[in-house]
């Protein structure tokens, strides 16, 4: 099948072109905003110059550039290691596929966290709370301080008090329980993160870049509430907006008993 008289371009070629274009665009979204994008364009320039000198017959320059491109394959793996890891992780944890395995946190957990965040925001107590899927972040949990306790606002506030030994690092909630505290997260290297955000916010972005998690942050300097997911950071949330975000990301529909109880209370 040919669409153009002078080109052998049919449905198969169209599908291949769309797939390649989609893959390149997805790769661009991963490296956009990082130093890797500059390296990527630099390599394009080298390949372009190599093609030109080949046509002109400049054999010595062509030989040098070919050696550079040979080494460049190994350099690509090294330089793009974080982006490659992120790409492979997202392929393995595709969000459209992963939602069938989503573990919903109970609405009671959400209310307990919101109560703690509201209190800590008011007194400017820094906090970093990570909601993880079942069995996720096990390496970070093992490296932190194991707790395995019911989620309660009092416990969360106590953990993040400045005079407690567990206030540094993140608290991890998984399967409706606090599984660990004082967990240290990888720091994001994204240069687009504003300089007004400190280590706590960069750690939240860092863990959400390569893991399917939802992170709640309370600023120690301003008491500002932020959330991070999929490598993005949203700051300046009100308690009402925080509740909507948490319900959308980790909440679950109330059961019939919970609905009946809620309606009875309203009456």
């Amino acid at each position: 099948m040919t669409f153009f008289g002078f080109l052998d371009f049919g449905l198969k070629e169209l599908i291949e072109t769309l797939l390649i274009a989609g893959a390149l665009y997805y790769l661009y979204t991963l490296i956009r905003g990082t130093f890797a994008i500059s390296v990527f364009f630099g390599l394009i320039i080298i390949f372009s110059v190599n093609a030109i000198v080949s046509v002109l017959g400049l054999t010595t320059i062509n030989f040098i550039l070919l050696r550079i491109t040979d080494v460049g394959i190994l350099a690509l793996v090294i330089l793009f290691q974080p982006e490659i890891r992120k790409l492979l992780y997202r392929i393995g944890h595709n969000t459209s596929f992963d939602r069938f395995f989503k573990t919903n946190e109970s609405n009671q957990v959400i209310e307990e966290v919101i109560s703690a965040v509201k209190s800590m925001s008011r007194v400017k107590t820094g906090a970093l709370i990570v909601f993880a899927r079942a069995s996720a972040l096990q390496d970070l949990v093992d490296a932190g301080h194991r707790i395995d306790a019911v989620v309660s606002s009092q416990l969360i506030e106590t953990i993040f008090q400045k005079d407690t030994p567990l206030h540094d690092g993140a608290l991890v909630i998984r399967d409706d329980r606090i599984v660990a505290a004082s967990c240290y997260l990888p720091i994001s290297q994204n240069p687009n993160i504003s300089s007004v955000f400190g280590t706590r916010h960069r750690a939240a972005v860092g863990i959400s870049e390569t893991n399917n998690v939802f992170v709640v942050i309370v600023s120690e300097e301003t008491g500002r509430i932020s959330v991070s997911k999929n490598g993005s950071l949203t700051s300046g949330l009100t308690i009402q907006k925080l509740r909507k975000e948490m319900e959308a990301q980790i909440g679950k529909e109330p059961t019939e008993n919970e609905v009946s109880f809620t309606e009875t209370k309203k009456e």
Side-chain angles (χ1 to χ4, degrees):
M1 183 176 180
T2 303
F3 293 151
F4 305 100
F6 59 92
L7 289 176
D8 185 16
F9 190 86
L11 181 60
K12 179 181 177 181
E13 288 72 22
L14 176 62
I15 293 174
E16 288 180 339
T17 302
L18 292 176
L19 289 175
I20 294 172
L24 290 175
Y25 176 77
Y26 186 66
L27 177 62
Y28 172 73
T29 60
L30 288 179
I31 66 176
R32 181 178 54 194
T34 68
F35 83 98
I37 192 68
S38 300
V39 176
F40 179 74
F41 284 121
L43 290 172
I44 290 178
I45 293 174
I46 292 177
F47 282 116
S48 300
V49 173
N50 188 32
I52 294 173
V53 299
S54 296
V55 173
L56 296 177
L58 304 176
T59 55
T60 302
I61 298 177
N62 184 39
F63 174 82
I64 294 174
L65 291 176
L66 284 176
R67 300 290 77 77
I68 293 175
T69 53
D70 289 342
V71 177
I73 296 176
L74 178 59
L76 275 175
V77 176
I78 297 173
L79 291 172
F80 288 88
Q81 187 266 342
E83 286 73 23
I84 293 173
R85 183 178 62 215
K86 187 188 303 183
L87 173 63
L88 294 175
Y89 183 88
R90 289 188 178 180
I91 292 175
H93 292 78
N94 184 275
T95 52
S96 61
F97 177 77
D98 188 60
R99 65 177 178 226
F100 293 105
F101 300 96
K102 180 181 178 182
T103 301
N104 293 319
E105 304 289 345
S106 71
N107 295 327
Q108 181 61 34
V109 169
I110 293 176
E111 293 303 321
E112 292 291 338
V113 171
I114 287 176
S115 176
V117 169
K118 183 178 180 180
S119 177
M120 291 186 294
S121 175
R122 184 173 60 251
V123 298
K124 296 182 181 179
T125 298
L128 185 57
I129 305 172
V130 180
F131 289 87
R133 294 168 57 252
S135 75
L137 305 184
Q138 191 58 44
D139 54 339
L140 294 177
V141 170
D142 291 339
H145 185 87
R146 297 295 294 268
I147 295 180
D148 191 23
V150 174
V151 178
S152 71
S153 58
Q154 293 88 346
L155 178 56
I156 294 173
E157 292 178 50
T158 300
I159 288 173
F160 285 112
Q161 286 298 316
K162 295 180 182 179
D163 56 350
T164 63
L166 300 180
H167 77 278
D168 277 335
L171 180 150
V172 178
I173 296 177
R174 193 174 64 190
D175 295 333
D176 286 6
R177 297 183 68 83
I178 297 175
V179 294
S182 193
C183 299
Y184 290 94
L185 310 181
I187 305 298
S188 174
Q189 301 301 318
N190 189 339
N192 291 330
I193 301 176
S194 174
S195 59
V196 301
F197 297 115
T199 304
R200 185 175 285 111
H201 293 80
R202 291 181 177 274
V205 175
I207 196 63
S208 71
E209 283 177 334
T210 54
N211 291 273
N212 184 19
V213 296
F214 179 76
V215 190
V216 178
I217 314 103
V218 179
S219 171
E220 185 176 346
E221 289 74 23
T222 64
R224 181 179 299 165
I225 302 170
S226 307
V227 296
S228 181
K229 57 184 178 180
N230 299 324
S232 65
L233 181 68
T234 304
S235 187
L237 275 70
T238 63
I239 291 298
Q240 291 75 16
K241 289 183 178 180
L242 175 62
R243 178 178 280 105
K244 288 182 179 179
E245 282 282 346
M246 293 182 69
E247 289 175 348
Q249 297 298 321
I250 60 176
K252 65 181 179 181
E253 295 297 325
T255 63
E256 292 182 3
N257 291 336
E258 290 174 331
V259 172
S260 300
F261 177 71
T262 303
E263 292 176 348
T264 301
K265 286 186 65 177
K266 288 182 179 179
E267 292 175 358

